[in-house]
């Protein structure tokens, strides 16, 4: 630089060495310019280095932001499911759990806001919050189940709605409070960290969007991978590891971060009351909308654990996308943009309301894609409104951050609205308006939040008019009515929509949530047999408890047994209200509306017989009624000599789920046995029978009870005349059941195998209904020596039972081999050879003898020669039975030669 300065020319073009002595100490203007340029270059390089460092730290912070959301939603899914096991799935219990969770978030957001805002290093504060969540996540592995077991006895079997809600609110609030409070502070800490890293204030929507994207990933990963593979405890350990990663990452990168971002200005209260109300109301409306859409979707989707996960994921996808898009646009958080987003959210809600009635058709169209088809329909329902909601919260949170220097207050106020949203939806909107019409009320709620001004009328006109037009039309019904049928009655409640439907043939049935059939007039005989089998196996039943009542036929059938006092427990009040459509109101015993698991856990009385109805294993929540822990709770409620009967719908189960249930049942009831209800291949049912004391069946006592005139009058029309009619339904002893089940997982509270096997159980509905039945009968060999306690009984009945069971299995195979739905002569030609084979194996097998005789009588009017041939075959294979021989003599004057 010295050479360059000395060689610069003067103003006259000569070299600067001729200057006067007095001017030699001053640098010339050119030298000053060069020094300035050098300084700017150095400053630019330093600024570039700082910007590059900030960019690097931003990219390192993004995984922490997303991982925090991943863990948060994972915890929410695991904890709410664990709490439902203890508190039940009654609506007030569910509402209490949700309120407790969101209440903890709100409390944490408010309480930690000042600490985070004033912290010298938000990185260290954030690390502490994640560490608290991790530690409490580990503690909850044993604390939450223990607390859950303690609460039901305190609530009692029939708590008031207020007490149930309060208890369900108190349990998660108190037990999970350290974790939920820490979660409530994480977003504010992350936003502060990102602001300091990027050196700019407008980061709130981006942080929220990235965190919600992580929550989306946590929802899918927890539901589809972690819980099915590791169970709840294993998943909690993994999530605690994610928290540890976030904490260590924050400490590592925070130590190198610039600490000059400390907030120096005095924090202000949120100055605008309208902003506070809008934050609260958007939390209330957003979660209310989510609850309503999930409630509607349950009527057309499979309603499995994966259905809920897909709907939640679609909601989170839209929320994350909206927040990130708002961050990307760089728009100001002014009233004009607020009006636009509120109007867009309202219009998007209307679009979902218009689409909802067609969701069933969309699900049918996408059925080939299995769970991915449901996810696509969920995205169609949620994406637009959730995107608008995400952008809307990003704008509101940025406003709060600009005023207070922290987003904590925004999170707290919004969470308070979300806290009461499920209660408002379930206890007010759905009972008053119905789920679909309530969507329109949510739309109007968003429009009422528009900031006043001339443009507010313009923004609200289109969505308000659209909502009004939809409101004037009758609400669409999502219950599918068969051609020629009729919808007789509907009860829409916060948990379920129950309907009574007549089909074209006049058969009446009960349908829940649009596609779950819970019995009907055509299955009354089968329903009665479900009650009679366990009641006859008990020597002298006095008190019977029925878990799940459906149309009420099984419970009413049990009440007809002389000397038996019956009590039913049903989860859905809507189902109970529709009982008069199927049974005489005067014949209905006492019914308690309660969750069966919670009722059994809280019950202090003892019962001679407990009968658990058919619970669809794929239906979210039903798998908990097949767990080892529930079977243990039932056993504690059995009186001495008591019997527990768990009915299983083989036409709705897959083989792995069946084996998992059997393994768990045998763990609790080592003497467990398996029985069939009837010999229909269309709706095959299996009963697992266990006793409290492991007593053997007394054949003589059973025969005496069947001869009792009062009992015979009830059971003989159901096909129970002699002990062999009952023993014929026997399928497996504990040894055969154990060999059939083999080694493998049990269905437990911590490892809910059946719940997360829902995808295979749904696919089982599309298979032939007899598939699993035939697999079971082929794999199991019944042993009369295990059924009959006395040697004399074994000698007299052993061979007869073996023949009867062989005939039974042949009968089932014949029924499964029938082509299509034959009627009349075609049915006789297709079915009679298999029935003759079954009768040949056991002439006393009435389920074959009765239909064959009916076929012969029907042929007398159309083809007497065919009738004679069939009667000769019947008499040939069952010569000791007089029916066929007498009919031959009467109609043809012939003996069977």
């Amino acid at each position: 630089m010295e050479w360059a300065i000395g060689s610069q020319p003067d103003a006259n073009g000569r070299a600067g060495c001729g200057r006067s002595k007095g001017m030699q100490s001053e640098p010339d203007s050119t030298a000053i310019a060069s020094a300035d340029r050098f300084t700017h270059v150095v400053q630019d390089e330093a600024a570039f280095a700082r910007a590059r460092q900030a960019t690097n730290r931003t990219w390192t912070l993004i995984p922490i932001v997303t991982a925090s959301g991943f863990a948060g939603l994972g915890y929410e899914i695991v904890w709410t499911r664990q709490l439902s096991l203890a508190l039940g799935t009654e609506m007030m219990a569910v509402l209490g759990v949700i309120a407790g969770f969101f209440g903890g978030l709100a409390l944490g957001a408010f309480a930690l806001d000042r600490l985070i805002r004033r912290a010298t290093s938000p990185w260290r504060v954030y690390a502490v919050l994640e560490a608290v969540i991790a530690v409490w996540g580990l503690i909850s592995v044993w604390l939450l189940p223990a607390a859950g077991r303690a609460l039901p006895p305190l609530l009692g079997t029939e708590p008031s709605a207020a007490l149930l809600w309060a208890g369900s609110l108190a349990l998660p609030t108190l037990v999970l409070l350290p974790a939920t409070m820490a979660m409530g502070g994480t977003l504010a800490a992350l936003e502060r960290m990102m602001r300091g890293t990027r050196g700019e204030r407008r980061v709130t929507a981006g942080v929220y969007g990235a965190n919600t994207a992580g929550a989306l990933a946590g929802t899918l990963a927890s539901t589809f991978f972690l819980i099915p593979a590791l169970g709840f405890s294993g998943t909690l350990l993994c999530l605690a590891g994610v928290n540890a990663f976030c904490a260590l990452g924050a400490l590592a990168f925070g130590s190198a971060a610039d600490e000059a971002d400390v907030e120096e200005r005095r924090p202000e209260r949120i100055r605008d009351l309208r902003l506070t109300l809008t934050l609260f109301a958007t939390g209330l409306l957003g979660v209310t909308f989510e609850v309503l859409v999930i409630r509607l979707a349950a009527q057309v989707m499979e309603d499995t654990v994966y259905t809920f996960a897909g709907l939640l994921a679609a909601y989170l996808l839209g929320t994350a996308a909206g927040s990130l898009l708002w961050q990307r646009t760089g728009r100001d958080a002014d009233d004009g943009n607020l009006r636009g987003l509120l109007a867009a959210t309202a219009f998007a809600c209307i679009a979902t309301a218009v689409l909802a009635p067609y969701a069933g058709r969309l699900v049918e169209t996408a059925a080939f894609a299995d769970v991915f088809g449901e996810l696509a329909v969920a995205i169609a329902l949620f994406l637009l409104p959730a995107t608008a909601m995400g952008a809307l919260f990003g704008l509101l949170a940025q406003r709060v951050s600009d005023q207070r220097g922290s987003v904590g207050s925004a999170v707290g106020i919004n969470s308070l609205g979300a806290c009461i949203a499920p209660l408002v939806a379930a206890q007010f909107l759905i009972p008053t308006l119905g789920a679909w019409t309530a969507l329109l009320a949510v739309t109007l709620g968003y429009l009422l939040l528009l900031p006043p001004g001339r443009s507010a009328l313009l923004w609200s006109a289109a969505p308000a008019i659209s909502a009004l037009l939809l409101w004037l039309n009758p609400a669409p019904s999502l219950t599918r009515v068969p051609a020629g049928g009729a919808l007789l009655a509907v009860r829409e409640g916060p948990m379920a929509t129950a309907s009574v439907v007549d089909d074209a043939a006049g058969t009446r049935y009960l349908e829940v949530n649009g596609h779950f059939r819970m019995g009907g007039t055509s299955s009354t005989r089968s329903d009665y047999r479900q009650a009679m089998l366990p009641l006859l196996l008990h020597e002298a039943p006095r008190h019977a408890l029925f878990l799940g009542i459906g149309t009420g036929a099984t419970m009413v059938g049990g009440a007809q047994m002389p000397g038996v006092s019956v009590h039913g427990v049903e989860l859905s009040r809507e189902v109970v209200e529709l009982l008069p459509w199927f049974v005489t109101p005067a014949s209905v015993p006492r019914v308690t509306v309660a969750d069966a698991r919670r009722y059994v856990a809280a019950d202090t009385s003892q019962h001679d017989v407990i009968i658990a109805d058919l619970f669809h294993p794929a239906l979210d929540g039903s798998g908990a009624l097949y767990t080892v822990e529930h079977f243990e709770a039932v056993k504690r409620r059995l009186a001495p000599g008591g019997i527990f009967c768990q009915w299983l719908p083989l036409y709705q189960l897959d083989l792995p789920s069946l084996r998992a249930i059997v393994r768990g049942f045998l763990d609790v009831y080592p003497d467990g046995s398996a029985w069939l209800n009837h010999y229909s291949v269309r709706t095959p049912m299996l009963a697992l029978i266990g006793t409290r004391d492991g007593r053997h069946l007394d054949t003589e006592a059973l025969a005496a009870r069947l001869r009792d005139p009062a009992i015979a009058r009830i059971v003989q029309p159901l096909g129970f005349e002699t002990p062999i009619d009952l023993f014929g339904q026997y399928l497996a002893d504990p040894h055969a059941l154990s060999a059939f089940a083999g080694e493998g997982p049990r269905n437990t509270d911590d490892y809910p195998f059946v719940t997360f096997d829902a995808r295979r159980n749904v696919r089982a509905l599309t298979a032939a209904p007899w598939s699993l039945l035939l697999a079971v009968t082929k794999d199991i060999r019944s042993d009369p020596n295990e059924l009959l306690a006395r040697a004399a009984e074994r000698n007299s009945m052993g061979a007869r039972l073996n023949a009867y069971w062989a005939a039974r299995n042949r009968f089932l195979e014949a029924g499964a081999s029938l082509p299509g739905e034959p009627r009349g002569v075609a049915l006789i030609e297709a079915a009679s050879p298999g029935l003759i084979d079954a009768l040949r194996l056991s002439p006393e097998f009435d389920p074959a003898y009765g239909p064959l005789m009916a076929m012969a009588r029907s042929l007398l009017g159309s083809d007497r020669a065919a009738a004679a041939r069939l009667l000769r075959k019947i008499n040939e294979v069952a010569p000791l039975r007089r029916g066929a021989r007498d009919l031959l003599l009467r109609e043809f004057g012939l003996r069977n030669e």
Side-chain angles (χ1 to χ4, degrees):
M1 295 295 291
E2 290 179 354
W3 175 84
I5 293 174
S7 62
Q8 291 297 321
D10 63 13
N12 297 319
R14 297 188 298 271
C17 58
R19 291 181 180 273
S20 63
K21 184 177 180 180
M23 296 293 293
Q24 288 178 357
S25 62
E26 281 184 69
D28 61 16
S29 59
T30 305
I32 292 174
S34 297
D36 289 343
R37 283 196 299 272
F38 175 77
T39 302
H40 288 312
V41 168
V42 173
Q43 291 174 343
D44 289 343
E45 289 178 351
F48 176 75
R50 286 194 299 271
R52 182 171 56 185
Q53 186 180 15
T55 301
N56 291 337
R57 285 207 305 269
T58 298
W59 283 108
T60 58
L61 184 55
I62 288 176
I64 295 177
V65 174
T66 55
S68 179
F70 180 101
L73 248 294
Y75 281 123
E76 182 180 350
I77 288 173
V78 172
W79 287 338
T80 53
R81 291 200 168 274
Q82 286 184 308
L83 288 165
S84 71
L85 294 174
L87 300 171
T89 54
E90 294 148 289
M91 180 51 64
M92 294 309 295
V94 173
L95 297 178
V97 170
I98 295 173
F101 192 86
F102 275 110
L105 295 180
L107 182 59
F110 287 126
L112 297 172
D113 183 51
R114 182 175 182 180
L115 171 65
I116 294 168
R117 192 174 57 243
R118 293 187 172 186
T120 303
S121 173
W123 300 78
R124 285 195 290 270
V125 174
Y126 172 76
V128 171
L129 295 178
E130 290 289 354
V132 169
I133 299 170
V135 170
W136 213 256
L138 296 175
I139 293 174
S140 70
V141 170
W142 65 268
L143 178 61
L144 198 59
R149 288 191 296 270
L151 186 60
L154 298 177
L155 294 175
T157 56
E158 301 183 57
S160 66
L163 178 59
L164 181 57
W165 183 84
S168 302
L169 171 66
L171 181 62
T173 300
L174 297 177
V175 174
L176 301 177
L177 189 60
T180 54
M181 283 189 65
M183 289 179 183
T186 53
L187 187 65
L190 288 168
E191 191 249 7
R192 170 101 187 273
M193 290 155 59
M194 185 66 76
R195 268 193 289 122
T197 298
R198 293 177 61 90
E200 59 180 88
R201 307 193 64 83
R202 198 179 186 282
V203 298
T204 304
V207 172
Y208 176 66
N211 190 257
T212 306
L216 164 62
T219 298
L220 297 177
S222 296
T223 305
F224 285 86
F225 302 107
L226 293 179
I227 299 176
L230 305 174
F232 290 143
S233 295
T235 301
L236 288 173
L237 294 177
C238 286
L239 296 175
V242 174
N243 294 130
F245 159 79
C246 293
L248 294 174
L251 290 175
F253 296 114
S255 61
D258 185 8
E259 305 290 357
D261 65 322
V262 180
E263 295 295 325
E264 298 293 344
R265 63 177 179 158
R266 183 178 180 181
E268 306 174 9
R269 294 182 179 275
I270 301 178
R271 296 186 299 269
D272 188 355
L273 178 61
R274 177 173 289 277
L275 176 58
T276 301
L277 294 175
T278 303
L279 274 167
F280 178 84
T282 51
L284 170 65
L285 294 171
V287 176
T288 298
F289 177 83
E290 180 186 6
V291 170
L292 294 174
V293 174
I294 290 176
R295 177 68 184 78
L296 289 169
Q299 298 182 56
V300 295
M301 294 183 176
E302 295 297 341
D303 201 15
T304 69
V305 63
Y306 299 107
T307 301
F308 175 77
L311 290 164
L312 179 58
Y315 182 79
L316 294 172
L317 174 64
T319 304
S323 300
L324 294 173
L325 286 172
W326 177 255
Q327 178 72 33
R328 185 72 175 174
T329 60
R331 292 178 176 271
D332 293 330
D334 55 26
D335 279 355
N337 287 322
L338 177 59
R339 291 188 187 98
L341 286 178
L342 286 168
T345 304
F347 212 87
C349 291
I350 290 175
T352 295
V354 172
L355 181 62
Y358 305 98
R361 298 181 189 176
L362 295 177
V363 170
E364 292 174 359
T365 303
F368 70 93
D370 194 28
V371 69
F372 299 104
E374 284 199 335
L375 181 58
V377 176
I379 291 174
L381 292 170
F382 268 128
L383 185 60
L384 287 179
T387 299
M389 292 173 191
L392 179 59
F393 180 76
L395 181 151
L396 296 171
Q398 188 60 54
R399 274 195 176 186
V400 174
S401 180
D402 291 342
Q403 290 186 20
R404 293 181 56 84
S406 171
V407 76
S409 295
V411 174
I413 296 169
N414 195 257
S415 296
L416 283 179
C419 176
I420 67 169
L423 187 65
V424 171
Q427 297 301 305
F428 176 68
L429 290 178
I430 294 176
T432 304
L433 302 174
W436 183 83
T437 306
L439 288 177
L440 305 180
V442 170
T443 297
L444 297 177
Y446 277 109
L447 295 179
L448 292 175
L449 297 176
L450 286 169
R454 294 181 180 178
S455 60
L457 294 176
L458 296 176
W459 280 113
S460 62
I465 292 173
S466 301
L468 180 61
L469 292 175
L470 290 173
W471 202 309
L472 294 175
N473 291 315
S477 173
L478 297 181
T479 301
R480 286 170 284 192
V481 179
L487 180 62
L488 302 180
V490 178
R491 295 292 184 275
E492 184 174 11
M495 292 187 63
T497 297
S499 310
V500 179
V501 180
D502 261 359
D503 64 15
T507 300
R508 181 176 300 173
Y509 57 87
L510 174 67
E511 196 170 76
V512 176
N513 280 342
H515 55 290
F516 291 111
R517 213 171 264 199
M518 309 296 284
T521 54
S522 63
S523 64
T524 301
R525 187 173 186 270
S526 172
D527 295 339
Y528 276 32
R529 287 173 65 96
Q530 283 183 248
M532 292 306 162
L533 173 65
L535 289 173
L536 288 172
L537 292 177
H538 193 284
E539 292 182 3
R542 291 292 178 266
H543 303 283
L545 178 67
F546 288 76
L547 304 179
I549 62 173
T551 61
T554 301
M555 181 180 62
V556 169
Q560 295 180 13
M561 182 69 76
V564 177
S565 171
V566 169
H567 179 203
V569 179
E570 170 59 43
L571 175 64
S572 173
R573 185 174 300 278
E574 294 73 35
V575 168
V576 175
E577 291 175 354
L578 293 176
L579 285 179
W581 287 93
F582 300 95
V583 293
T584 304
S587 67
V588 178
R590 184 166 69 95
V591 176
T592 297
V593 178
D595 178 86
R597 271 189 62 118
R598 186 190 60 75
Y599 183 92
V600 170
D603 193 14
T604 56
S605 57
Q606 291 189 316
H607 311 275
D608 298 309
V609 179
I610 298 179
I611 302 172
D613 200 7
L614 302 163
F615 305 118
H616 189 337
L619 183 64
D620 196 9
S622 292
L625 295 168
Y626 296 127
T627 65
V628 171
E629 291 81 0
H630 178 58
F631 292 157
E632 290 173 339
V634 169
K635 190 172 187 178
R636 290 192 292 270
R637 301 277 66 80
L638 289 174
I643 288 177
F644 172 48
C645 173
Q646 175 64 69
W647 286 104
L648 300 175
L650 294 183
Y651 53 96
Q652 296 174 336
L653 270 168
D654 73 325
L655 190 56
S657 281
L658 175 60
R659 285 179 165 152
I661 293 170
V662 170
R663 292 184 202 109
F665 191 86
L666 291 176
D667 284 349
V668 181
Y669 302 95
D671 68 326
S673 57
W675 301 68
L676 296 175
N677 180 34
H678 48 58
Y679 307 124
S680 166
V681 296
R682 300 295 176 183
T683 55
M685 305 173 193
L686 184 72
L688 296 178
I689 303 287
T691 67
R692 196 188 92 157
D693 306 318
R695 298 175 61 182
H696 276 283
L697 182 64
D698 189 332
T699 306
E700 293 181 359
L702 174 63
R705 295 191 68 209
L706 291 175
R707 289 193 300 269
D708 184 330
I711 295 177
R713 179 179 57 83
I714 302 299
V715 301
Q716 283 186 3
L718 303 177
F720 298 122
E721 296 186 17
T722 64
I724 201 168
D725 295 325
L726 189 70
F727 293 161
Q729 297 174 227
Y730 183 78
L731 187 63
D733 58 74
H735 301 295
L737 270 180
S738 180
F740 165 76
E743 295 297 326
R746 274 79 172 148
N747 185 50
T748 66
D749 284 356
D750 188 62
Y751 187 70
F753 181 88
V754 173
T755 295
F756 287 87
D757 192 40
R759 295 168 67 182
R760 283 196 298 240
N761 286 323
V762 167
R763 284 195 289 270
L765 297 173
T766 61
W770 53 80
S771 300
L772 187 56
L773 171 66
L774 295 186
V776 171
T777 55
K778 288 178 180 178
D779 201 16
I780 290 178
R781 289 293 175 264
S782 306
D783 184 357
N785 293 326
E786 291 290 335
L787 176 63
L788 305 173
R790 301 182 181 90
E793 294 172 346
R794 296 170 185 168
N795 294 332
S796 64
M797 293 192 67
R800 291 173 60 198
L801 280 175
N802 280 325
Y804 197 98
W805 292 333
R808 175 197 68 196
N809 293 347
R810 179 66 186 96
F811 179 87
L812 296 174
E813 292 170 0
S817 64
L818 289 178
E821 298 283 347
R823 293 286 187 271
V825 176
L827 174 61
I828 296 173
E829 292 176 351
S832 59
L835 298 182
I836 291 293
D837 290 343
L839 197 60
R840 182 178 288 111
L841 291 168
S842 174
E844 55 185 331
F845 187 67
D846 274 345
Y849 189 81
L852 283 170
M853 291 298 296
M855 292 176 183
R857 293 188 186 94
S858 69
L859 286 172
L860 288 173
S862 58
D863 190 341
R864 292 180 61 81
R869 287 194 298 270
L870 181 57
L871 286 169
R872 289 192 180 97
K873 290 180 180 178
I874 296 171
N875 193 47
E876 177 185 344
V877 297
L880 297 181
R881 306 190 68 157
R882 297 179 55 87
R885 184 171 64 253
D886 291 347
L887 192 57
L888 275 169
L889 285 170
R890 185 171 67 250
E891 294 292 334
F892 302 100
L894 300 173
R895 292 184 180 272
N896 189 45
E897 302 295 341

